[in-house]
């Protein structure tokens, strides 16, 4: 659902206004107040004593003489305010506007510090506004009235400011690509096959100047990608390996390689998932979707960087031809994987992708995957798990997460854990020897294929879906597109 954010020195006539207010603020002192006509101002002064802006509840004022709606969104204490809280408040405002069937509204903007701070602040505001305006309704019919979506937001300023303008522009791009990632992840597995995912990548990226090459089974076989081919054996849908290249940096610049897990539906294979765990497994390609649309964001932002995206795309299905517990798969690296659990398939296909990444002599490889339920148990649903052996990368990714709202939290990764994934009949086993430390075991397994370059693993299973209190539509959350876009710009 597109949303247009424009900048003006005064709002359009009778457009609904959104007042963002800190605890203790006087609405009559707000910069937007003088854009109300005299009768509206008198009405607001009359009723303002009945309003409490300490909580999260939005107050809706209906101007009796003009029928204009004014939304008052509380921000909490001023000393606790941050860009992330501004983003959440923006989501609240957009959702309140949709509930009130408001298609256009205006709010006040001003600088928040230096040029970069101001730009980043309004990028967060705009991206969150766009994300709050999304709802997955592709498969719904509406016999009566369709949901209302905000079509335009007017940012009102006293003096035009290029940093605010640029932040809003960038935020809209990042928010739109996050929403398209969510649309992709929400699409049912029957429609989002490996080939459909590859076709989407081609249609989304080629018009933006990104080279897309899709490897077929035959090419993967010639490359020795036994991990991808092994997992795909049980499905009638053939696997695809999606290669995306955006080379806009200096010729000698080593690229950043993004690797995304693209399991378009995960039944668990012969180790079949229980019914309570299988329902949302069309979203097991969320890492692949995030990589595709982080690259789209980078291209739309015209970053002068070299970026490569790799997405191994498969279905994990049980059938007479499925790979089995006890099988030993030979990967592109030459290492063999002993299959202990066919439901630990994501790390198996990523092993080949991490090996393929070596051909680019990368400056950094970042893999993104809904890899383990153990990460959800460890962290809950607010942070993705972050693994790397390099403290500078850990600090940088935590910073990018804190700045954008795609929060990450580090878990340990060291050679001490390698014994836990050592195979008996193969080089490495795709499942740990105990039920403990599952997220770490998954990361340590991947590390065996990623030791030739700087590497970060993001287990986004905790952030696969939105949760209560985020003011986002149910379904895919779109993590970590915002973090990746910021990382690609700054790393």
């Amino acid at each position: 659902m597109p949303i247009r954010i424009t900048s003006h020195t005064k709002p359009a006539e009778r457009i609904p206004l959104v007042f963002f207010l800190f605890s203790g603020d006087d609405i009559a002192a707000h910069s937007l107040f003088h854009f109300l006509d005299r009768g509206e101002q008198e009405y607001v002064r009359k009723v303002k004593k009945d309003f409490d802006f300490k909580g999260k509840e939005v107050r809706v004022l209906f101007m009796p003489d003009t029928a204009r709606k004014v939304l008052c969104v509380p921000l909490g204490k001023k000393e606790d305010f941050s860009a992330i809280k501004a983003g959440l408040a923006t989501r609240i405002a957009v959702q309140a506007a949709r509930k009130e069937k408001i298609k256009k509204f205006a709010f006040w903007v001003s600088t928040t510090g230096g040029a970069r701070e101001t730009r980043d602040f309004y990028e967060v505001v705009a991206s969150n506004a766009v994300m709050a305006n999304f709802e997955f309704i592709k498969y719904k019919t509406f016999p009566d009235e369709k949901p209302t979506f905000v079509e335009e937001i007017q940012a009102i300023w006293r003096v035009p400011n290029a940093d605010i303008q640029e932040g809003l522009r960038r935020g809209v791009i990042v928010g739109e690509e996050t929403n398209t990632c969510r649309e992709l992840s929400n699409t049912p597995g029957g429609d989002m096959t490996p080939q459909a995912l590859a076709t989407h990548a081609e249609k989304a990226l080629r018009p933006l100047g990104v080279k897309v090459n899709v490897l077929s089974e035959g090419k993967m076989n010639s490359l020795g990608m036994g991990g991808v081919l092994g997992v795909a054996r049980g499905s009638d849908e053939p696997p695809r390996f999606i290669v995306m290249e955006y080379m806009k940096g200096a010729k000698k610049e080593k690229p950043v390689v993004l690797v995304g897990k693209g399991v378009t539906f995960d039944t668990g294979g012969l180790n079949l998932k229980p019914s309570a765990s299988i329902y949302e497994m069309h979203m097991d390609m969320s890492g692949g979707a995030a990589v595709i649309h982080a690259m789209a964001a980078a291209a739309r932002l015209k970053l002068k960087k070299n970026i490569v995206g790799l997405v191994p795309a498969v279905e994990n299905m049980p059938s007479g031809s499925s790979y089995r517990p006890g099988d030993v798969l030979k990967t592109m690296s030459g290492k063999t994987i002993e299959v202990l659990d066919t439901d630990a398939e994501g790390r198996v296909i990523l092993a080949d992708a991490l090996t393929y990444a070596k051909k680019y002599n990368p400056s950094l490889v970042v893999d993104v995957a809904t890899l383990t339920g153990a990460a959800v148990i460890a962290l809950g649903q607010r942070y993705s798990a972050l693994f790397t052996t390099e403290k500078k990368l850990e600090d940088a990714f935590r910073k990018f997460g804190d700045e954008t709202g795609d929060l990450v939290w580090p878990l340990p990764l060291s050679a001490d854990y390698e014994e836990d994934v050592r195979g008996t009949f193969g080089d490495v086993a795709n499942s740990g020897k105990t039920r403990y430390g599952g997220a770490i075991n998954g990361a340590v397994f991947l590390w065996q294929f990623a030791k030739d370059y700087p590497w970060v693993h993001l287990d986004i299973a905790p952030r696969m879906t939105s949760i209560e209190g985020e003011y986002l539509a149910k379904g895919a959350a779109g993590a970590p597109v915002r973090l990746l876009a910021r990382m690609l710009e700054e790393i």
Side-chain angles (χ1 to χ4, degrees), residues 22 28 34 89 120 177 196 234 265 285-286 355 426 434 446:
F22 291 106
H34 73 276
D120 288 351
E177 294 304 331
F265 197 84
M285 38 61 71
S286 293
T355 300
T434 71
L446 294 176

Side-chain angles (χ1 to χ4, degrees), residues 154-444:
Q154 295 180 10
I156 309 303
W157 51 24
R158 184 171 285 110
V159 179
N161 182 279
D163 300 313
I164 294 175
Q165 187 73 37
E166 178 63 6
L168 294 173
R169 183 189 73 84
R170 297 169 69 87
V172 168
I173 289 172
V174 174
E176 286 176 346
E177 294 304 331
T178 302
N179 284 351
T180 310
C181 171
R182 295 163 74 191
E183 181 98 7
L184 197 58
S185 295
N186 282 331
T187 301
D191 292 339
M192 187 46 61
T193 62
Q195 180 56 54
L197 184 61
T199 300
H200 173 88
E202 291 172 328
K203 290 181 177 179
L205 294 176
R206 281 178 176 167
L208 299 175
V210 180
K211 181 181 177 182
V212 182
N213 184 27
V214 180
L215 307 187
S216 64
E217 281 181 284
K219 182 63 175 176
M220 284 185 270
N221 187 56
S222 68
L223 291 170
M225 291 185 173
V228 177
L229 294 172
V231 173
R233 282 201 319 238
S235 175
D236 291 337
E237 296 290 342
R240 294 291 182 260
F241 191 90
I242 309 165
V243 181
M244 300 156 284
E245 297 176 346
Y246 174 81
M247 300 298 194
K248 302 297 182 181
K251 286 187 177 181
K252 293 183 179 180
E253 178 186 305
K254 294 181 178 182
V256 173
V257 178
L258 306 179
V259 178
K261 175 184 172 184
V263 179
T264 58
F265 197 84
D266 180 21
T267 65
L270 294 179
N271 292 110
L272 191 68
K273 290 180 182 290
S275 59
S277 303
I278 205 169
Y279 168 68
E280 292 181 330
M281 284 301 100
H282 59 285
M283 296 188 203
D284 211 19
M285 38 61 71
S286 293
V291 165
I292 292 168
H293 287 286
M295 292 197 68
R300 291 179 64 190
L301 292 170
K302 295 180 168 45
L303 299 186
K304 300 299 182 183
K305 298 292 179 72
N306 293 330
I307 306 164
V308 175
L310 305 174
V311 178
V314 300
E315 275 192 338
N316 186 21
M317 288 287 187
S319 74
S321 59
S322 294
Y323 80 131
R324 307 161 178 81
D327 281 356
V328 178
L329 305 177
K330 187 175 182 180
T331 66
M332 185 180 177
S333 69
K335 292 180 181 178
T336 56
I337 297 174
E338 182 179 355
V339 178
L340 301 184
D341 188 341
T342 62
D343 193 24
E345 83 299 328
R347 66 199 69 180
V348 176
I349 66 172
L350 289 173
D352 282 334
L354 290 170
T355 300
Y356 192 90
K358 287 171 61 176
K359 69 179 291 220
Y360 293 98
N361 189 25
S363 62
L364 172 67
V365 175
V366 181
D367 79 69
V368 185
T370 49
L371 203 73
T372 66
V376 187
I377 294 170
L379 297 179
Q381 293 182 275
R382 299 184 185 276
Y383 287 76
S384 294
L386 164 67
F387 295 88
T388 183
T389 58
E390 299 190 27
K391 187 64 167 62
K392 286 184 178 181
L393 287 173
E394 177 186 309
D395 292 344
F397 273 70
R398 288 188 65 184
K399 172 179 172 288
F400 300 145
D402 291 344
E403 289 174 347
T404 61
D406 275 335
L407 301 173
V408 296
W409 195 262
L411 290 176
L413 178 67
S414 74
D416 298 333
Y417 291 97
E418 289 185 306
E419 177 61 34
D420 297 336
V421 297
R422 186 166 289 126
T424 302
F425 302 109
D427 295 322
V428 288
N430 78 328
S431 184
K433 296 178 180 178
T434 71
R435 64 189 181 92
Y436 304 112
I440 298 171
N441 288 336
V444 171

Side-chain angles (χ1 to χ4, degrees), residues 143-158:
D144 300 319
E145 189 175 5
K146 285 187 176 182
T148 298
F149 293 96
V150 176
E151 297 171 358
E152 181 179 346
I153 298 175
Q154 295 180 10
I156 309 303
W157 51 24
R158 184 171 285 110

Side-chain angles (χ1 to χ4, degrees), residues 29-215:
H30 195 283
S31 298
L32 278 179
F33 188 75
H34 73 276
F35 290 113
L36 299 171
D37 66 27
R38 182 169 298 178
E40 291 173 330
Q41 290 178 354
E42 290 176 359
Y43 177 76
V44 170
R45 287 193 179 99
K46 179 180 177 181
V47 302
K48 70 175 183 178
K49 63 180 181 294
D50 298 324
F51 284 76
D52 174 18
F53 298 116
K54 293 180 181 179
K56 290 185 178 180
E57 185 179 351
V58 177
R59 306 290 186 172
V60 181
L61 301 180
F62 182 80
M63 304 293 107
D65 294 335
T66 62
R68 190 211 301 257
K69 289 182 178 179
V70 170
L71 275 59
C72 301
V73 181
L75 299 176
K77 296 180 180 179
K78 196 168 188 176
E79 57 268 27
D80 297 332
F81 193 58
S82 66
I84 298 304
K85 289 188 177 181
L88 181 62
T90 308
R91 290 183 189 178
I92 293 171
V94 170
Q95 292 230 338
R98 292 183 58 198
K99 184 178 180 181
E100 293 294 323
K101 301 190 183 306
I102 294 172
K103 294 185 178 182
K104 296 181 181 181
F105 68 81
F107 76 113
W108 185 260
V109 297
S110 60
T111 57
T112 58
R116 182 57 188 267
E117 183 181 354
T118 295
R119 196 201 79 179
D120 288 351
F121 181 90
Y122 284 102
E123 181 176 325
V124 170
V125 166
S127 63
N128 280 278
V130 174
M131 289 172 66
N133 202 44
F134 171 86
E135 187 176 343
F136 188 63
I137 60 172
K138 181 178 178 180
Y139 294 87
K140 283 191 172 184
T141 57
F142 298 95
D144 300 319
E145 189 175 5
K146 285 187 176 182
T148 298
F149 293 96
V150 176
E151 297 171 358
E152 181 179 346
I153 298 175
Q154 295 180 10
I156 309 303
W157 51 24
R158 184 171 285 110
V159 179
N161 182 279
D163 300 313
I164 294 175
Q165 187 73 37
E166 178 63 6
L168 294 173
R169 183 189 73 84
R170 297 169 69 87
V172 168
I173 289 172
V174 174
E176 286 176 346
E177 294 304 331
T178 302
N179 284 351
T180 310
C181 171
R182 295 163 74 191
E183 181 98 7
L184 197 58
S185 295
N186 282 331
T187 301
D191 292 339
M192 187 46 61
T193 62
Q195 180 56 54
L197 184 61
T199 300
H200 173 88
E202 291 172 328
K203 290 181 177 179
L205 294 176
R206 281 178 176 167
L208 299 175
V210 180
K211 181 181 177 182
V212 182
N213 184 27
V214 180
L215 307 187

